[in-house]
């Protein structure tokens, strides 16, 4: 059973999400919050698997709430940001804070449920190509990098190559075909990259690739779909 906490300052929005989730056999709504401070408190108390977190909330917004939850260190609560705009500057800050991806509020119910399941399995739901659009717009605006650029020295040449391909929007299967290895080998490389750089997931790996200069804004995969 996937435990979900809903955080949104609009009661009708929370009710809509609850109705969808409560009619899904493998999901359970364990709580609701109307602001970021309450969301952070409930995440610590209830230890949900997923928090559906609105970006814009009064007083403590979703970005700060995400930062608090991810810094808490008491569990592996994962966060899906909810936003009305697909290039909201707050989304970039949320990804840096530790969110595992973002969804638009007009996302279809089936896509919402699929995204929750993907994140609950430990993956990220933001397509690398969408993340890249965000980074191309906002990279360079952060006061400090997610991970010191020198940390790239911890990676092997192959790991840097894989990270660059991830940041350019290629899936694991596309990377495997590009560098002539199995998809399992690609997954192993990505797991090692995350461990060496102390990153939560694929999304933060893409953020790091841009902030470290490994991939430049505007870069493309050079022939991937």
């Amino acid at each position: 059973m996937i435990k979900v906490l809903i955080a949104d300052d609009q009661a009708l929005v929370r009710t809509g999400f609850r109705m969808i989730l409560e009619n899904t056999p493998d999901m359970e709504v364990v709580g609701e919050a109307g602001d970021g401070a309450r969301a952070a408190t409930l995440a610590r108390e209830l230890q949900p698997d997923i928090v559906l977190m609105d970006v814009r909330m009064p007083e403590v917004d979703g970005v700060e709430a995400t930062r608090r939850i991810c810094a808490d260190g008491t569990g592996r609560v994962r966060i899906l940001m909810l936003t009305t705009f697909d290039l909201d500057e707050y989304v970039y800050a949320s990804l840096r804070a530790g969110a595992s991806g973002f969804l638009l509020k007009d996302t279809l119910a089936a896509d919402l449920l699929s995204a929750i399941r993907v994140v609950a399995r430990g993956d990220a739901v933001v397509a690398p190509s969408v993340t890249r659009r965000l980074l191309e717009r906002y990279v360079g605006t952060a006061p400090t990098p997610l991970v010191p650029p020198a940390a790239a020295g911890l990676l092997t040449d192959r790991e840097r190559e894989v990270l660059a391909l991830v940041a350019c929007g290629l899936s694991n299967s596309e990377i495997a075909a590009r560098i002539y290895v199995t998809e399992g080998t690609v997954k192993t490389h990505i797991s090692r990259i995350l461990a060496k750089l102390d990153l939560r997931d694929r999304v933060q790996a893409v953020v790091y690739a841009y902030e470290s200069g490994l991939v430049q804004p505007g870069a493309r995969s050079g022939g991937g779909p």
Side-chain angles (χ1 to χ4, degrees):
M1 185 71 69
I2 301 172
K3 298 184 296 181
V4 182
L5 171 66
I6 302 169
D8 196 292
D9 62 329
Q10 298 183 39
L12 284 176
V13 173
R14 296 198 306 272
T15 299
F17 283 130
R18 176 180 282 275
M19 291 176 63
I20 293 171
L21 298 176
E22 287 185 339
N23 285 297
T24 305
D26 62 336
M27 297 183 193
E28 175 189 7
V29 177
V30 296
E32 295 184 17
D35 61 74
R38 181 61 175 162
T41 297
L42 288 179
R44 183 173 58 254
E45 294 176 354
L46 302 174
Q47 287 294 296
D49 299 302
I50 304 293
V51 179
L52 293 180
M53 181 80 75
D54 186 20
V55 171
R56 300 184 180 185
M57 290 185 287
E59 297 184 17
V60 176
D61 63 19
V63 177
E64 177 57 27
T66 296
R67 190 175 294 112
R68 293 181 185 182
I69 292 170
C70 293
D72 187 63
T74 59
R76 293 296 294 176
V77 179
R78 301 178 70 82
I79 298 170
L80 276 174
M81 305 303 299
L82 301 170
T83 179
T84 306
F85 307 102
D86 66 346
L87 279 180
D88 191 323
E89 65 272 18
Y90 291 106
V91 173
Y92 174 58
S94 303
L95 297 179
R96 296 188 80 255
S100 294
F102 74 93
L103 296 172
L104 298 181
K105 283 191 175 181
D106 60 359
T107 295
L108 296 175
D111 292 335
L112 170 66
L113 298 177
S114 176
I116 290 172
R117 292 186 182 104
V118 168
V119 170
R121 291 196 301 266
D123 207 342
V125 299
V126 182
S129 58
V130 177
T131 308
R132 185 178 61 224
R133 283 199 302 132
L134 279 167
L135 294 173
E136 287 177 354
R137 179 165 176 176
Y138 296 113
V139 71
T141 63
T144 57
L146 184 68
V147 177
L154 300 173
L155 304 180
T156 66
D157 290 342
R158 177 64 94 184
E159 288 165 350
R160 282 193 291 271
E161 180 182 17
V162 169
L163 177 55
L165 292 173
V166 168
C168 286
L170 273 67
S171 67
N172 287 355
S173 60
E174 291 166 346
I175 294 171
R178 178 68 60 85
I179 64 176
Y180 305 106
V181 299
T182 67
E183 190 170 348
T185 298
V186 173
K187 291 180 180 179
T188 298
H189 283 312
I190 292 175
S191 294
R192 289 174 178 168
I193 290 166
L194 297 180
K196 287 182 177 182
L197 299 179
D198 194 24
L199 300 172
R200 287 173 59 90
D201 53 34
R202 190 185 191 102
V203 170
Q204 285 205 327
V206 177
V207 172
Y208 170 76
Y210 275 85
E211 291 190 342
S212 67
L214 182 64
V215 175
Q216 297 297 321
R220 292 296 181 265
S221 59

